[in-house]
Each structure stands twice: as C-alpha cells, then as structure tokens.
Amino acid sequence: AQTVTQSQPEMSVQEAETVTLSCTYDTSENNYYLFWYKQPPSRQMILVIRQEAYKQQNATENRFSVNFQKAAKSFSLKISDSQLGDTAMYFCAFMKGSNTGTASKLTFGTGTRLQVTL
Amino acid sequence: DSGVTQTPKHLITATGQRVTLRCSPRSGDLSVYWYQQSLDQGLQFLIQYYNGEERAKGNILERFSAQQFPDLHSELNLSSLELGDSALYFCASSVGTSGGVRQYFGPGTRLTVL
C-alpha cells in the first residue's frame, strides 16, 4: 500500500515571498503520478500541479513548481511570489500508474494549511 | 467550474437515517470516484466505478453502497448513519480508457449527522 506524508500541519508566508511545502511518499511502484491539490475555504479541490514519475524534469505551472526526488521519494511544492489567494489547505497525493495510462484512486496526505499574510 | 456536479450541497439528518448523494460526472467521463473528507480520517478513497462497473474499493463501510447508472451518473447511499459519518463527500471523474489521469472534483456534499 502507498502512503503519503506531509509533516508540516501549518505554515505561514508573507505576501510576495517564497514558501516550500514538503511531501514524502512510500511505494514499491515504478509507474506512478504525484499531485498537489489546493483546497481553499470554499472546500473545492483544485489541481495545482502534476508530476509523472518517469519524467526527470520537475513540473512547473506559473508560480508553482515541484522538486521531485524519486530516489528519496520526496515531492515538495514551491510557491513563488505568494499571494493572498494562495491561502488554503494543500494536499499531496499519489496515484498508481496503469498500462493503459488511465486514472486510478488518489491517496492523499494529511495536508498543510498555508496562510499568506500581508 | 470542474464540470462535475453534486447534489445536494448540504444535508442534515439524524442518526440511524439513510441518505443518497448524487454525482454527475463531466461529459464524456466514464470513471467516477467517491472520497470522504473527515476531521478524523482526512481525505480517503471510498470506491470507483467505471462505465457502470465497480472498479476499485477503498475503506468503504458495509453500511455504504454506491452504483453508477447507464447515463453515468453515480449515487452513494449511506445507511444507519452515525455521528462519525459527518463529513464532506467528494465525487470526482476522469476520462477512462481514452486516457488522462487527471481527476476532476465536484464541489462536495457536506453531510451532518445529528
């Protein structure tokens, strides 16, 4: 079974600064995907960024980037130029890959609550 | 807007009762997933359906059941409700065999058991 660990229950960052959220995972799979989801106070689950395990290059989406260390089973999220709208709960998630490239269940970490302050 | 709809938004009921949560996936998506988000258990996978068939099962209680209908909408039935079943229930959908691993989440149904 896969496990996802987020060791930072809460973090705070000032507007315009950079913050890094940590995530580690445990799996014996070689084919998998990793995700970061954002859950603002509205409770909607919003996909922030995705990383395929077979890709060495770290994924980036505008101000969001990841540091994927496959050997260390680490998948951290860096938010640059933090904005008030980034205030949310952030979940790291694991998905086992399939031969057909289709989706399967997500296994989530416990989340990190990020507060962006003025 | 993810394109996934869930009804109702909120549900308040009493212990011992039975409720049905409904989910309509994005147009064309064949897979539906149900997740439960509670203070105790965090976000956990309950069950997946693909084109009407059960595909995977997670930590779903025996008091809970689900199905996916020919029009691909899905229902999650919760019976003999207990206080601990109070949670936010998410439905997500994905494209199935045509590829793509992204899951699109609905807005959730907040269930309160009193």
Side-chain angles (χ1 to χ4, degrees):
Chain A
Q2 292 77 29
T3 59
V4 178
T5 302
Q6 294 179 251
S7 58
Q8 305 153 314
E10 291 185 2
M11 292 195 73
S12 181
V13 64
Q14 284 194 317
E15 202 177 20
E17 297 297 307
T18 295
V19 64
T20 299
L21 309 184
S22 301
C23 172
T24 58
Y25 60 95
D26 190 22
T27 184
S28 57
E29 302 290 335
N30 201 42
N31 178 19
Y32 56 88
Y33 302 86
L34 295 164
F35 303 82
W36 279 98
Y37 278 88
K38 169 185 176 180
Q39 188 178 41
S42 67
R43 298 293 188 177
Q44 177 72 45
M45 293 292 288
I46 302 166
L47 177 64
V48 175
I49 199 163
R50 177 182 104 190
Q51 175 79 43
E52 291 85 348
Y54 62 85
K55 287 187 178 178
Q56 289 188 329
Q57 187 172 7
N58 290 323
T60 62
E61 285 288 342
N62 301 312
R63 299 182 294 108
F64 299 88
S65 61
V66 298
N67 183 2
F68 174 48
Q69 302 288 328
K70 191 172 183 179
K73 294 181 181 171
S74 170
F75 183 61
S76 61
L77 174 70
K78 185 171 86 170
I79 305 174
S80 304
D81 186 25
S82 296
Q83 301 175 0
L84 294 177
D86 295 333
T87 293
M89 194 76 164
Y90 287 81
F91 292 96
C92 179
F94 174 99
M95 178 188 289
K96 179 179 167 183
S98 72
N99 294 335
T100 55
T102 55
S104 61
K105 70 172 185 178
L106 287 162
T107 300
F108 289 92
T110 51
T112 296
R113 187 173 303 278
L114 177 67
Q115 180 71 46
V116 181
T117 59
L118 291 169
Chain B
D1 185 3
S2 67
V4 178
T5 60
Q6 290 187 248
T7 56
K9 268 189 164 179
H10 303 278
L11 201 46
I12 301 174
T13 188
T15 54
Q17 295 299 304
R18 172 189 168 96
V19 296
T20 298
L21 312 183
R22 183 188 168 104
C23 167
S24 292
R26 288 188 333 146
S27 176
D29 283 0
L30 299 174
S31 273
V32 168
Y33 310 77
W34 286 97
Y35 294 89
Q36 179 195 58
Q37 184 177 26
S38 65
L39 287 175
D40 292 344
Q41 303 292 330
L43 254 169
Q44 60 174 355
F45 167 73
L46 295 178
I47 198 164
Q48 178 198 358
Y49 277 82
Y50 173 74
N51 203 20
E53 302 279 331
E54 182 184 302
R55 175 62 63 92
K57 219 169 190 178
N59 297 324
I60 188 166
L61 299 171
E62 283 192 16
R63 300 183 285 107
F64 295 3
S65 65
Q67 55 184 326
Q68 186 179 26
F69 295 85
D71 67 352
L72 300 177
H73 90 271
S74 177
E75 292 181 358
L76 179 66
N77 300 296
L78 316 177
S79 62
S80 302
L81 285 167
E82 301 175 0
L83 296 177
D85 297 328
S86 294
L88 186 56
Y89 291 85
F90 284 108
C91 168
S93 72
S94 67
V95 294
T97 57
S98 59
V101 298
R102 179 174 175 173
Q103 290 186 17
Y104 295 82
F105 280 78
T109 292
R110 178 164 294 284
L111 173 66
T112 302
V113 182
L114 300 174

